[in-house]
Amino acid sequence: MQNQKTTKMRIQETLKDNICNFFNERYNTAIDKASIKIEKTKEGFEGDFSVNVFPFLRIAKTKPETLASDLGQYLQEKINTIQSVDVVKGFLNISLSDEFWKEFAQTSARTINFPSIYSNDKIVLEFSSPNTNKPLHLGHIRNNLLGESMSKILKLTGSRVIKVNLVNDRGIHICKSMLAWMKWGKGKTPADIGVKSDKFVGDFYVLFDKKYKEQVKELVEKGMSEDEAKKEAPLIKEAQELLEKWEAGDPETLKVWEMMNGWVYEGFDETYKKLGVSFDKIYYESQTYKKGKELVYEGLKKGVFYQKEDGSVWVDLTDAGLDQKLLLRSDQTSVYITQDIGTFIIRDNDYHADKYMYVVGNEQEYHFKVLQQILNKLGLDGSKVVHISYGMVNLPSGKMKSREGTVVDADDLIAEVIEKAKEKAEELGKLDNLEEETKRKTYEIIGLGALKYFILKIDAKKDMLFNPQQSVDFEGNTAPFIQYTHVRINSLINKAKNQGIDTFELKVVDKPIRTILKTLYEYPQIIAKAAKTLNPAVIANYIYDLARDYNQFYQTNPILKAENKDLKVSRLYVSQKVADYLKHTLSLFGIDIPKKM
RNA sequence: GGACGUGUAGCUCAAUGGAUAGAGCAACGGCCUUCUAAGCCGUAGGUUGCAGGUUCGAUCCCUGCCACGUUCACCA
């Protein structure tokens, strides 16, 4: 046990320690500290924190009310920051003294102390990981936002985070768009046509698919079975030949490949920039895909994998409750999982990290289980692999499918949401006096904020539904609501400063102020929960509560026109604090706040 | 068929085994000569998919069933 001053210790811990002592002294029973639940007192009851005594009735063998009031009395004797206690059924509601809250105000004025979760761990966090044959869509936005946000949250809880992107820049799908461009592109570039460069490439991918389907249809009409037609269509054969040429290092092919990928990266960078997403290191599959093969052969030598007569290599994972899994095809080419084995090793050599986290959709949960098991078999530590699994983004019509064109394009959506912010702002007319450039920036901050929040507020592991007809909200539980709260506070504070008031201080702790302080006090634990559960949505719920509580406060308590000076500076203090917290929480989502709105 | 997941208000989503299951949107009704109305207050809206079980207490845990989704490829 560290020798901490009790005032610095979280009050919940102090309470728990004393509750343990209570049961030790009175009932000679040691209870598990972790089993004690201390929560913020619910609205409508008198108190700051509540202890539920029901779980301890077995020990005490009395009525809940009796136990609660005995415990309350004990705690009040031991902890001097308790002002009063109140018993409702089995709940002991504890009110803390004004001094406690003033002390909290003073210490939190300097810094907020966040608990450390993966303490000092080095974490390599992979996210985004796009294919270079089509532009980004809403599903990628969710991935990118989750990754970027988790990196910030994990940093806050004491980890060193390295953000990496693994670009899927090779394979048959890339060859398809290359082939289409070579056949029908007439040597044109995105600049020639004036199309965003990743979309330009994506269009050729779609074109390939269209022509390919036509060929398949033709063959089927000639009497071929569909499966056979899919294999025999000239286009797919050409694409495969192109892939072979690429693997053989044919200069002509590589030239086209590099050029087209370059276009895609240019387009991606634009989208990443808008989303506020960045990486410390970018891996390219073309540079890492061979590594996995070596490891598979090594495993084969060690006898942890086995080879079938046709030459294909497998691993048997039935002892872990999984199936048998192919690692190398009979022609010795690698599959998806082979490459992931390779990239893990490369990454581990590069960083020697404690955890390798992957932000990847929940449809790949099985894949990651398999990966962990294989790494274990190879004598590596599969438990270092953490799959940050998130749900799919669905449309009212069902799942988004690139090839069927039922996707919400990332750039389109971003543009739409900024446009909507503009319309709304013009309607309200509050920005009319600003310069064009400032206006434009403001629309962007609000629109992108709305989009980011809209996605991140939903529990990461759950599927979510996006209705393009309704798009993204700007009212209620949204980023603009929170941004607006902040902007309004700033305006208030500026007015106060103009009146010559510049020291805000907590002198009065009345009920409305206390309500806000209680919420502020929770913040570090909220962050801890978000880090533990790998879910930024926890924070969104919190920000919204805070902003709503404050708006209520603002609406019912005059601040600049408070009855007396003490009340005025106290309310200003609380306002300032809320603004600081809102800004901090929003920054974890990569959301900015405009000066005016 | 096996594995995993989801099912809460008309819609989109909340709710560490606890107090009266909450918000927003949509609907209806109030509040701007007073700190920015992207705000605030109110009304209405629920058999938490169904049936059992565990317990002082279940939206949450267990079992069975129903519905939906994902996954189990010599695709990535």
Side-chain angles (χ1 to χ4, degrees), chain A residues 21-22 125 169 186 198 237 256 286 324 362 458 586:
Chain A
N21 292 343
F22 172 82
L125 177 68
D169 63 342
K186 295 173 189 156
D198 51 338
K237 289 199 155 178
V256 176
S286 56
Q324 319 224 331
N362 60 13
I458 295 170
L586 281 184

Side-chain angles (χ1 to χ4, degrees), chain A residues 92-104:
Chain A
L92 173 64
N93 297 329
I94 299 164
S95 299
L96 300 170
S97 65
D98 289 2
E99 282 64 39
F100 172 84
W101 290 111
K102 286 179 185 168
E103 169 78 22
F104 164 62

Side-chain angles (χ1 to χ4, degrees), chain A residues 18 24 35 54 69 106 116 122 136 141 151 237 242 247 296 304 344 406 446 454 479 511 531 539 542 569 584 589-590:
Chain A
N18 280 281
N24 258 328
S35 71
F54 274 114
S69 64
Q106 270 186 1
S116 130
K122 192 196 260 189
L136 305 174
I141 294 187
S151 80
K237 289 199 155 178
L242 196 61
E247 297 218 359
V296 172
V304 294
F344 176 85
T406 55
I446 296 170
F454 180 82
K511 210 171 169 186
I539 298 172
Y542 174 79
V569 292
H584 192 264
F589 285 7

Side-chain angles (χ1 to χ4, degrees), chain A residues 484-536:
Chain A
Y484 176 73
T485 307
H486 187 277
V487 166
R488 205 158 60 166
I489 294 173
N490 260 354
S491 157
L492 183 72
I493 283 168
N494 285 335
K495 281 222 167 105
K497 284 182 180 161
N498 287 341
Q499 289 178 11
I501 309 164
D502 45 17
T503 45
F504 309 151
E505 201 181 335
L506 191 64
K507 295 211 163 162
V508 183
V509 190
D510 62 5
K511 210 171 169 186
I513 288 176
R514 203 177 263 254
T515 304
I516 307 269
L517 291 174
K518 271 193 309 194
T519 305
L520 294 178
Y521 193 79
E522 277 185 301
Y523 187 40
Q525 283 172 317
I526 298 293
I527 296 297
K529 193 177 168 192
K532 260 187 220 156
T533 58
L534 303 170
N535 180 19

